[in-house]
Amino acid sequence: MLIKKPDDIKGGEITDRKVYLSRRNFLRGAALAATTFATGVVYKQLLAPQPELATPVGRVEPGPQSAPKKWGLPGEEATEYQKIASYNNFYEFGTDKYSPARRAQSLVTKPWTVSVEGLVNKPKVFDLDELTRLFPPEDRIYRHRCVEGWSMVIPWLGFSLGDLIKQSEPQGGAKYVAFETANDPKGRGIPQTDALTWPYVEGLRLDEALHPLATLAVGIYGEPLLPQNGAPVRLVVPWKYGFKSIKSIVRIKLVERMPTTTWVKEVPSVYGFFSNVNPSVDVLRAQATEQRIGEWGRRQTLPFNGYAEQVAGLYDGMDLSYYV
Ligand SMILES: Nc1nc2c(c(=O)[nH]1)N[C@H]1C(S)=C(S)[C@@H](COP(=O)(O)O)O[C@H]1N2
Ligand SMILES: [Mo]
């Protein structure tokens, strides 16, 4: 694998991707600045105590304390709300795990619309309130596996993306679905950092998008999404690595050809379009085990993140060590 040099490993496992990014910037000719930045990030992660949440969390004692059975999975406890809300990837607001909880508070989420467009008979721009009225969200507790090696169990509040897509009446030529995060620095309070190119974009094959597990989430633990978790509406694809679960979505477009995605654009040699959780294929680094946030030790990573029974059929006949 291209990116695993001994140099890269010493910064700490969780900073792998940032180290990669700093190398990319290096290649772009921003050597000094990038190196300084990457070092700063490493120190921050090593030294930072658990950060205070900038947002007053609506529910100080979240679900697990009051109703642990309701929120867990068999043999797996739901991750504490405070952890879900303070350990995030949202590169628009910084590349370390703790920045989004502080910096995403600038995100303007009202009013918010989601456009469903492209190869559909009934394109429509939905106001968020209308969306949740038409598709009432329900509790959906899923594992969330980041390619950096950590995982959580998150009690989302959401509805099936497929229900929204079906009502738009996809045309015969529609084969894929492309998603876009808001990209409006002034109007939406999203800083234009140079970590990635914006907007963040993602995609699914249409049959994946129609699978009932593919979820549009509007809340966690029964509360509206916090900005750092991708308010007011984000994708959740529990059998794929976390980066497929694009946050703060404004556009859903049905298209004929496989759309590009942010991480495929960034590192085509490492990331693939499908990005199904697969313990036997290394993406970024070995993916056989994971650190469940809030637990000691590591868990075995399950094929399709434990959802093989439901989703493996989508990939019948595909060589999943090639179609990563
Ligand atoms: N727009 C946008 N969406 C994003 C990201 C991002 O940087 N920007 N990061 C992804 C990654 S890598 C992960 S692991 C999840 C993290 O979601 P969480 O912070 O709610 O756990 O969001 C994904 N969606
Ligand atoms: Mo991730």
Side-chain angles (χ1 to χ4, degrees):
M1 206 167 54
L2 276 177
I3 58 166
K4 272 231 167 165
K5 285 197 318 189
D7 279 357
D8 290 341
I9 292 156
K10 69 171 186 256
E13 298 208 319
I14 266 159
T15 58
D16 279 0
R17 189 180 339 213
K18 182 58 213 164
V19 171
Y20 150 70
L21 283 169
S22 74
R23 160 119 31 94
R24 187 193 62 147
N25 287 341
F26 190 97
L27 295 170
R28 281 183 180 174
L32 190 61
T35 309
T36 312
F37 182 32
T39 311
V41 168
V42 171
Y43 282 134
K44 232 186 282 163
Q45 292 191 345
L46 291 176
L47 302 175
Q50 194 73 357
E52 299 268 324
L53 276 182
T55 311
V57 174
R59 188 197 301 220
V60 179
E61 295 291 321
Q65 279 82 358
S66 53
K69 292 247 163 54
K70 179 177 177 205
W71 298 111
L73 293 170
E76 298 175 73
E77 274 179 29
T79 304
E80 266 177 62
Y81 190 55
Q82 299 292 342
K83 295 218 162 73
I84 298 172
S86 61
Y87 190 82
N88 304 100
N89 271 333
F90 201 166
Y91 277 33
E92 285 85 336
F93 298 98
T95 52
D96 71 286
K97 299 289 164 291
Y98 302 112
S99 286
R102 285 182 290 110
R103 296 178 61 200
Q105 308 316 317
S106 65
L107 181 66
V108 177
T109 56
K110 268 190 190 136
W112 193 276
T113 58
V114 178
S115 169
V116 181
E117 57 186 59
L119 300 175
V120 294
N121 292 332
K122 289 162 68 182
K124 185 172 158 74
V125 178
F126 293 88
D127 184 77
L128 193 76
D129 294 335
E130 187 184 8
L131 205 59
T132 51
R133 228 183 7 258
L134 291 171
F135 308 100
E138 62 196 19
D139 290 322
R140 298 181 165 207
I141 305 166
Y142 297 139
R143 288 175 217 97
H144 175 83
R145 173 64 159 77
C146 180
V147 73
E148 289 161 342
W150 51 271
S151 65
M152 300 186 185
V153 171
I154 304 186
W156 302 103
L157 186 63
F159 59 91
S160 283
L161 166 67
D163 291 345
L164 173 60
I165 291 179
K166 277 181 231 153
Q167 77 78 44
S168 77
E169 296 179 9
Q171 296 169 358
K175 298 284 185 267
Y176 293 90
V177 185
F179 303 86
E180 218 175 281
T181 293
N183 179 31
D184 176 2
K186 287 220 180 76
R188 290 278 173 216
I190 301 175
Q192 290 230 311
T193 68
D194 62 3
L196 299 169
T197 55
W198 314 112
Y200 196 99
V201 289
E202 258 304 338
L204 294 172
R205 217 170 52 191
L206 182 58
D207 60 336
E208 297 178 315
L210 292 174
H211 192 282
L213 281 180
T215 296
L216 283 176
V218 296
I220 291 175
Y221 276 119
E223 305 283 338
L225 282 179
L226 293 170
Q228 57 268 40
N229 292 113
V233 58
R234 57 90 58 84
L235 185 64
V236 174
V237 195
W239 70 96
K240 293 176 181 280
Y241 289 112
F243 58 84
K244 298 297 282 184
S245 293
I246 179 173
K247 294 178 168 180
S248 306
I249 295 170
V250 292
R251 195 186 313 282
I252 299 175
K253 186 173 184 179
L254 279 81
V255 295
E256 186 185 349
R257 292 177 178 274
M258 184 184 279
T260 191
T261 75
T262 288
W263 287 102
V264 166
K265 272 196 285 184
E266 290 298 320
V267 217
S269 58
V270 170
Y271 295 103
F273 176 83
F274 289 97
S275 300
N276 293 315
V277 173
N278 188 343
S280 60
V281 170
D282 294 349
V283 183
L284 189 65
R285 55 152 117 170
Q287 296 294 346
T289 65
E290 65 200 55
Q291 168 72 58
R292 179 66 51 83
I293 300 296
E295 287 182 0
W296 293 104
R298 294 180 75 82
R299 283 178 177 256
Q300 296 295 315
T301 290
L302 302 170
F304 297 106
N305 205 22
Y307 301 99
E309 208 176 298
Q310 293 98 312
V311 303
L314 292 170
Y315 310 100
D316 278 347
M318 282 173 68
D319 175 358
L320 293 180
S321 60
Y322 179 79
Y323 289 104
V324 294

